[in-house]
Amino acid sequence: MARQKLTAGRVQDFKVAKGSKQSFLWDSEVPGLGVRATRTAKVYVFQGRLLSGATIRLKIGDCRTWAIDSNDSEVPGARQEARRLRAMLDKGIDPREEKLKILAEIVAKMDETERQEVTVSEAWADYLKARRPKWSDRHYRDHESLADPGGRKAKRGKKKIKAGPLASLMDVKLIDLTQEKVMEWATHEAKERAARTRLAFSLLRAFINWCGDQHQYKGLCPPDACSSQIKRDILPKQQPKTDCLQKEQLKAWFEAVRGYQNAVISSYLQTLLLVGARREELSHLRWDDVDFRWKSIVIHDKVEGERTIPLPPYVASLLAGIPKRNEWIFSSPSAESGRIQEPRHAHNKCLVNAGIEGLTLHGLRRSFGTLSEWVEVPVGVVAQIMGHKPSAIAEKHYRRRPLDLLRKWHVKIEKWILKQAGIEQPAEGAEPGKIQVVK
């Protein structure tokens, strides 16, 4: 292989041989340095042999941009680069591996630059998408509403939807979501809506913990951004809820609810009180979950996955009288999901008519547990019907009451509640009314 000392003139005049796809011109001064010419390009190359005996060839760079020699240590010429590659081979280092490492560092640096530009809203969207299958519909809607930018017209009335407490943090970069930033946010939001800010703070802290476990967000947000100090010093303490129907209020409550114009919601509210279920558990009830023959209801809960409770006579008559529009018992033709979404507004109207204040939907569940004490029901029975975790060793390991035993007490609870409301409980053996199928 003939060699010549590469000069600017020789490199410029060198061309691919006629009839060939590529031609090489090798340097006589630095072994391995050469010029490769094709019909479209001319580049400096380096060719050498590894300690294993394998021959490798590397591209140094385009002849139009690389000088043959350079006196600048920061901008080496092709000859200086070839000497460096030769020295690496002599040390047993594969220059290709070094090149891959450099490229990986460049890519990582570019990725890190992009990572540092990520905003809370971008990571929040990924968070909701990743966690959606593990959340209830209510919990998911809380995340959406608390981060809602607002400003659009409400579906009802002339008012505009107000931005959620977390909306002001959505445009903040994750790396800027510091403890000072969160503290400033919490101080401002807590003045107007303390309860919502407290909930938003809890969701934000869970979000930050999630980011810390994700490769694309790890290390961006300070782990102490939502410190306990903020919750302790800035956010007001959550007061325990005590809303519950009193014995004397049952008659007025039932009269208002039974007189409500929407029969499905009326039945839902009464059932919510008489079975002590969580609001979302009941709204997700399907026709396949109710067995009118064996008088049982399968409720999908957040503790055991599902629990089977009795179907007391009055509740059975309520459910049997509901129109069957789709798979959901408490259906809603106007809702996208096909079932009722927000019965709270209807319940508030009923409370106004009944002259009762401050009773939430969860307060109906609390009422079931409280009013059952008038019948002197064993605490474990009520807990099993409501889906509470057993609180004592005996309850946890030695008490698992069969459905017929639960039914005995559940019927008594329903009968007592209805009696206070002036309503007669249907006989246990009575056949509930036929389900109305609506096409």
Side-chain angles (χ1 to χ4, degrees), residues 31 46 48-52 56 58 80-102:
F46 172 79
R49 196 179 295 272
L50 297 172
L51 293 181
S52 62
I56 62 170
L58 300 174
Q80 285 76 29
E81 179 66 8
R83 287 193 178 100
R84 188 183 72 85
L85 295 174
R86 170 62 62 183
M88 292 180 65
L89 287 178
D90 292 343
K91 294 178 181 178
I93 301 173
D94 189 339
R96 294 172 300 179
E97 294 181 0
E98 187 207 34
K99 187 174 183 180
L100 290 175
K101 183 179 179 181
I102 294 174

Side-chain angles (χ1 to χ4, degrees), residues 83-227:
R83 287 193 178 100
R84 188 183 72 85
L85 295 174
R86 170 62 62 183
M88 292 180 65
L89 287 178
D90 292 343
K91 294 178 181 178
I93 301 173
D94 189 339
R96 294 172 300 179
E97 294 181 0
E98 187 207 34
K99 187 174 183 180
L100 290 175
K101 183 179 179 181
I102 294 174
L103 288 174
E105 291 175 353
I106 293 173
V107 171
K109 190 173 182 180
M110 291 173 61
D111 290 344
E112 182 61 25
T113 301
E114 292 179 0
R115 273 188 1 115
Q116 293 186 7
E117 295 298 317
V118 172
T119 61
V120 173
S121 62
E122 292 171 326
W124 186 262
D126 288 344
Y127 175 56
L128 266 60
K129 184 178 180 181
R131 301 297 298 170
R132 177 69 180 92
K134 300 181 181 297
W135 291 342
S136 67
D137 289 344
R138 177 65 184 276
H139 194 57
Y140 181 75
R141 289 200 303 271
D142 280 340
H143 283 78
E144 285 190 315
S145 63
L146 291 172
D148 193 327
R152 62 187 182 281
K153 186 179 179 182
K155 292 182 179 180
R156 296 180 181 179
K158 298 180 179 180
K159 293 183 178 180
K160 290 186 177 181
I161 294 178
K162 188 177 181 181
L166 290 173
S168 61
L169 294 177
M170 289 295 112
D171 291 334
V172 176
K173 294 179 182 178
L174 273 180
I175 57 173
D176 295 332
L177 194 63
T178 60
Q179 186 177 139
E180 292 74 18
K181 184 69 177 179
V182 175
M183 188 176 295
E184 178 186 348
W185 163 81
T187 303
H188 172 73
E189 292 291 341
K191 293 177 181 178
E192 295 185 7
R193 38 188 175 183
R196 294 289 284 172
T197 303
R198 186 170 53 245
L199 174 60
F201 179 81
S202 298
L203 300 189
L204 182 64
R205 181 159 58 181
F207 162 71
I208 290 174
N209 290 338
W210 177 83
C211 287
D213 293 331
Q214 308 306 307
H215 171 72
Q216 66 270 38
Y217 304 127
K218 190 172 185 178
L220 290 180
C221 187
D224 64 344
C226 289
S227 68

Side-chain angles (χ1 to χ4, degrees), residues 179-432:
Q179 186 177 139
E180 292 74 18
K181 184 69 177 179
V182 175
M183 188 176 295
E184 178 186 348
W185 163 81
T187 303
H188 172 73
E189 292 291 341
K191 293 177 181 178
E192 295 185 7
R193 38 188 175 183
R196 294 289 284 172
T197 303
R198 186 170 53 245
L199 174 60
F201 179 81
S202 298
L203 300 189
L204 182 64
R205 181 159 58 181
F207 162 71
I208 290 174
N209 290 338
W210 177 83
C211 287
D213 293 331
Q214 308 306 307
H215 171 72
Q216 66 270 38
Y217 304 127
K218 190 172 185 178
L220 290 180
C221 187
D224 64 344
C226 289
S227 68
S228 299
Q229 178 188 356
I230 298 176
K231 185 176 182 180
R232 182 178 63 250
D233 298 343
I234 297 177
L235 299 177
K237 292 184 179 179
Q238 184 175 7
Q239 299 299 322
K241 293 182 178 179
T242 57
D243 59 313
C244 176
L245 274 172
Q246 302 301 311
K247 173 185 174 183
E248 298 78 10
Q249 297 175 324
L250 287 171
K251 184 176 180 62
W253 185 86
F254 268 97
E255 286 179 352
V257 172
R258 295 180 79 190
Y260 189 70
Q261 56 187 357
N262 189 317
V264 174
I265 292 183
S266 174
S267 298
Y268 171 83
L269 294 173
Q270 292 178 78
T271 304
L272 199 60
L273 170 64
L274 293 171
V275 302
R278 300 173 180 89
R279 54 173 292 179
E280 289 290 329
E281 292 175 348
L282 200 59
S283 66
H284 281 76
L285 202 64
R286 293 179 169 89
W287 289 108
D288 291 342
D289 296 329
V290 179
D291 190 331
F292 288 96
R293 181 185 179 188
W294 300 113
K295 299 178 175 58
S296 65
I297 305 175
V298 177
I299 292 181
H300 304 274
D301 65 22
K302 66 178 184 179
V303 179
E304 300 292 342
E306 68 176 35
R307 67 181 186 277
T308 302
I309 66 171
L311 175 64
Y314 183 75
V315 172
S317 67
L318 287 175
L319 302 187
I322 295 176
K324 188 174 183 180
R325 300 187 182 101
N326 51 33
E327 62 177 317
W328 308 106
I329 291 182
F330 302 107
S331 61
S332 173
S334 61
E336 184 178 347
S337 64
R339 55 181 173 77
I340 59 175
Q341 294 293 323
E342 189 49 90
R344 179 170 51 91
H345 302 300
H347 187 225
N348 289 341
K349 290 181 180 179
C350 294
L351 292 179
V352 172
N353 294 334
I356 300 173
E357 296 181 358
L359 180 65
T360 63
L361 289 175
H362 195 76
L364 297 178
R365 173 174 162 84
R366 191 177 292 109
S367 300
F368 176 84
T370 304
L371 294 171
S372 64
E373 294 189 359
W374 284 90
V375 195
E376 299 181 351
V377 182
V379 175
V381 170
V382 178
Q384 193 170 330
I385 293 174
M386 296 178 69
H388 281 152
K389 285 186 177 180
S391 57
I393 295 297
E395 285 292 333
K396 187 177 296 184
H397 300 290
Y398 300 101
R399 301 283 191 276
R400 214 57 206 160
R401 301 168 184 82
L403 190 63
D404 52 355
L405 180 56
L406 293 179
R407 183 181 295 110
K408 168 189 172 183
W409 289 106
H410 201 166
V411 170
K412 283 186 177 182
I413 297 171
E414 183 190 80
K415 185 175 183 178
W416 183 88
I417 292 176
L418 293 174
K419 184 178 179 180
Q420 310 312 308
I423 302 172
E424 184 177 352
Q425 184 187 51
E428 278 196 69
E431 186 76 18

